[in-house]
């Protein structure tokens, strides 16, 4: 188990996608248009039905391990974008424990949750921060609490029991794009648009609808930065050693405080 470390809490609140239709020039072959349709109600190609199926499947998993890579845009003056990336692995054991590790261009971080305490450790800066609860919390409850401290990361939300249901909130457009391959795996490609962001999901075809890829695009930013995660490995029986969610500070590490929920207005925090 890689002990490189996770998560810059910065960017990416949830995932996005644009359901945009395109018309080809008259002298070109017509470009297929994304569209929303349903055959006999919740059909196999209804975007919402596919997300519900994925959510039901993932919610029933008592534990899992996923690994892959994230590519994301970082915005500089004049809307110039630089593409960065990091590798990740994510261990989840329900109802209340996980470990997320990030290792890449700007990331050398880890997030651990043991039911009562969530710890974020930045190895490059030798700093860590802790959110504690007096009572035992589920993963969903702790991630809700973490949001109050401005900690939001799309990868963490993959561990939520209501992951897909959250994606469908406030959707204004949806599209079933078609079958597409992620690596050598055939996936249903679906797209959803909200007011300020859009996202796309690639959900494995068949009776095990694993999430294989997702992309988020922030439409409220003129540069329209995107964030894409590809999951290359799913393991439903990971080996989790004793103490896998415990963080023990070492000499020289500095503890810092999370932003308190009431110390800063939401507009300023953004």
């Amino acid at each position: 188990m890689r002990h490189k470390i996770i998560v810059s809490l910065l960017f990416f609140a949830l995932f996005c996608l644009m359901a945009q239709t395109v018309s080809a020039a008259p002298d070109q072959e017509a470009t297929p248009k994304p569209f929303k349709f349903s055959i006999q109600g919740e059909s196999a190609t209804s975007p919402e039905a596919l997300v519900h199926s994925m959510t039901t499947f993932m919610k029933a998993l008592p534990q899992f391990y996923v690994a892959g890579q994230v590519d994301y845009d970082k915005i500089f003056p004049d809307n110039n974008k630089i593409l960065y990336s990091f590798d990740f692995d994510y261990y989840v054991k329900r109802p209340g424990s996980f470990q997320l590790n990030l290792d890449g261009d700007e990331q050398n971080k880890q997030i651990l949750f043991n039911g009562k305490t969530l710890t974020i450790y930045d190895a490059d800066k030798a700093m860590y921060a802790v959110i504690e609860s007096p009572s035992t919390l589920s993963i969903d409850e702790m991630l809700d609490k973490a949001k109050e401290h401005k900690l939001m990361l799309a990868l963490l939300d993959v561990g939520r029991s209501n992951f897909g249901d959250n994606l469908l909130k406030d959707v204004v457009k949806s599209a079933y794009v078609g079958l597409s391959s992620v690596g050598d795996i055939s996936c249903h490609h679906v797209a959803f648009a909200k007011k300020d962001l859009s996202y796309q999901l690639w959900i494995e075809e068949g009776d095990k609808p694993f999430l294989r890829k997702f992309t988020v695009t922030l439409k409220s930013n003129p540069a329209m930065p995107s964030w894409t995660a590809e999951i290359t490995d799913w393991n439903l029986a990971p080996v989790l050693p004793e103490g896998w969610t415990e963080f023990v500070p070492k000499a020289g590490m500095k503890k810092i405080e999370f932003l308190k929920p009431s110390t800063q207005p939401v507009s300023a925090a953004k």
Side-chain angles (χ1 to χ4, degrees):
M1 175 168 49
R2 214 172 26 139
H3 249 52
K4 289 294 181 184
I5 340 236
I6 105 162
V7 75
S8 274
L9 352 157
L10 328 164
F11 350 83
F12 334 116
L14 275 262
F15 339 90
C16 347
L17 198 300
M18 305 192 310
Q20 205 173 32
T21 58
V22 182
S23 297
D27 59 343
Q28 295 176 332
E29 183 178 343
T31 301
K33 297 181 179 181
F35 54 97
K36 175 180 176 179
F37 71 100
S38 176
I39 300 174
Q40 296 179 351
E42 293 285 270
S43 75
T45 47
S46 160
E48 291 80 5
L50 287 164
V51 171
H52 285 310
S53 176
M54 176 194 71
T55 300
T56 301
F57 173 73
M58 290 174 59
K59 183 190 301 186
L61 301 176
Q63 63 178 12
F64 63 83
Y65 161 88
V66 292
Q69 179 173 302
V70 168
D71 298 310
Y72 62 95
D73 292 322
K74 191 169 180 179
I75 309 303
F76 292 89
D78 300 321
N79 289 330
N80 291 308
K81 294 190 288 189
I82 299 295
L83 186 66
Y84 290 87
S85 64
F86 60 83
D87 295 327
F88 69 87
D89 55 47
Y90 190 17
Y91 301 78
V92 172
K93 186 171 184 179
R94 306 190 194 280
S97 53
F98 63 70
Q99 178 188 127
L100 175 59
N101 303 297
L102 306 184
D103 180 21
D105 293 334
E106 300 180 301
Q107 313 295 332
N108 189 13
K109 300 181 175 69
Q110 182 175 56
I111 296 180
L112 303 167
F113 174 52
N114 63 12
K116 288 189 175 183
T117 303
L118 184 146
T119 304
I120 300 177
Y121 170 58
D122 187 320
D124 290 335
K125 297 179 181 178
M127 293 180 176
Y128 68 98
V130 176
I131 298 175
E132 294 184 298
S133 170
S135 58
T136 300
L137 300 179
S138 68
I139 292 172
D140 291 6
E141 291 168 333
M142 175 50 80
L143 293 182
D144 286 342
K145 186 178 181 69
K147 280 188 176 181
E148 298 174 3
H149 296 269
K150 314 305 176 191
L151 170 57
M152 294 175 288
L153 185 75
L155 281 174
L156 286 175
D157 283 325
V158 173
R160 284 182 176 271
S161 64
N162 58 351
F163 169 62
D165 296 333
N166 285 346
L167 297 183
L168 296 179
K169 290 180 180 178
D170 303 318
V171 164
V172 295
K173 289 183 181 179
S174 65
Y176 179 77
V177 182
L179 289 176
S180 178
S181 294
V182 178
D184 58 356
I185 298 171
S186 179
C187 297
H188 294 287
H189 181 186
V190 294
F192 300 89
K194 300 187 180 185
K195 180 180 178 181
D196 294 327
L197 56 79
S198 61
Y199 61 92
Q200 303 174 60
L201 303 174
W202 286 258
I203 300 169
E204 185 169 338
E205 184 184 19
D207 59 357
K208 294 182 179 179
F210 290 112
L211 176 64
R212 288 294 177 178
K213 182 178 175 181
F214 59 98
T215 293
V216 183
T217 302
L218 186 61
K219 298 191 292 184
S220 59
N221 187 312
M224 296 188 70
S226 291
W227 183 96
T228 299
E230 182 172 341
I231 298 174
T232 56
D233 187 17
W234 273 89
N235 184 340
L236 303 188
V239 177
L240 303 173
E242 185 176 352
W244 68 283
T245 59
E246 303 301 322
F247 179 75
V248 180
K250 297 181 180 179
M253 293 181 183
K254 180 181 179 181
K255 184 177 181 180
I256 59 175
E257 297 298 323
F258 274 105
L259 177 69
K260 295 295 188 293
S262 60
T263 60
Q264 201 169 342
V266 172
S267 58
K270 288 182 180 179

